Amino acid sequence: MQTVFNLGTKQGREGKEIAIATPLINLKKTAIIELGNRLGVPWEETWSCYTGGDEACGVCDSCQLRLAAFAESGLKDPVPYALRDEAIRE
């Protein structure tokens, strides 16, 4: 992606490189939740679901990873989920 940005943007072609920063890339989801919680992230305003809609689906891979990370951290995910069963809610 860095090469694409350097070659595919005016800024990149002019030698003013666009930097790609990925500070969380090596963290597991649980570590990201714990760090975000310490930093006061408003989790109710975040979204991980791959599907569209007014609520997160609760069943796609991204929702499942997020729910598991919150559970492993001892926290309840404040995002409403449309299609998860009672076992997933708790």
Side-chain angles (χ1 to χ4, degrees):
M1 286 308 300
Q2 187 69 63
T3 301
V4 170
F5 289 154
N6 290 341
L7 297 174
T9 64
K10 180 180 179 196
Q11 183 175 334
R13 289 188 316 274
E14 291 175 347
K16 301 175 196 155
E17 193 171 276
I18 297 171
I20 299 173
T22 57
L24 306 179
I25 201 160
N26 291 318
L27 295 180
K28 293 184 179 206
K29 291 279 189 195
T30 304
I32 293 170
I33 297 296
E34 291 169 354
L35 174 61
N37 204 46
R38 285 194 306 272
L39 296 173
V41 167
W43 294 115
E44 65 280 0
E45 296 179 22
T46 66
W47 192 265
S48 297
C49 188
Y50 292 150
T51 64
D54 295 329
E55 293 182 326
C57 74
V59 294
C60 71
D61 287 345
S62 185
C63 283
Q64 290 293 301
L65 289 169
R66 178 182 170 121
L67 286 164
F70 269 95
E72 288 174 24
S73 297
L75 302 169
K76 185 173 191 289
D77 187 350
V79 169
Y81 287 87
L83 302 174
R84 60 182 173 165
D85 62 35
E86 289 303 314
I88 296 172
R89 287 185 193 272
E90 299 304 318

